Amino acid sequence: MIVRQRPGTAGGVCFITIEDETGFSNLVMFEKLFETYRKEILHSRLLMVEGKVQKEGEVVHVIVSKCFDFTKRLKRLTIKDDTSSLARP
């Protein structure tokens, strides 16, 4: 997670910017859903979401419907030899 914002002018909507090897994506989470998944959003080191993808040119938005804390799965990721690829043991 790069940035998490809940601007006062957004009517309770939370915007989260995430990054992976393909680039940046913007998560859009409505207030009720944010409250439902508050713990996962605020405390996870590895967050997985489900939702509807919207793409406008190069900009990707995900309208979030579910969140999952995958922090425990980080232990299963290892660096293989001195390369940047990830492998499961």
Side-chain angles (χ1 to χ4, degrees), residues 27-42:
L27 306 181
V28 179
M29 186 169 305
F30 294 99
E31 186 173 18
K32 185 176 178 180
L33 197 71
F34 181 88
E35 294 307 324
T36 300
Y37 293 106
R38 175 181 282 280
K39 181 180 175 187
E40 290 82 354
I41 296 163
L42 298 178

Side-chain angles (χ1 to χ4, degrees), residues 10 12 24 26 44 52 55 57-59 61 75 77 79 85-86:
F24 295 96
N26 301 301
S44 65
K52 182 177 179 181
K55 190 169 181 181
E58 296 295 317
V59 180
H61 300 281
K75 295 176 188 174
L77 301 176
I79 302 298
S85 64
L86 298 175

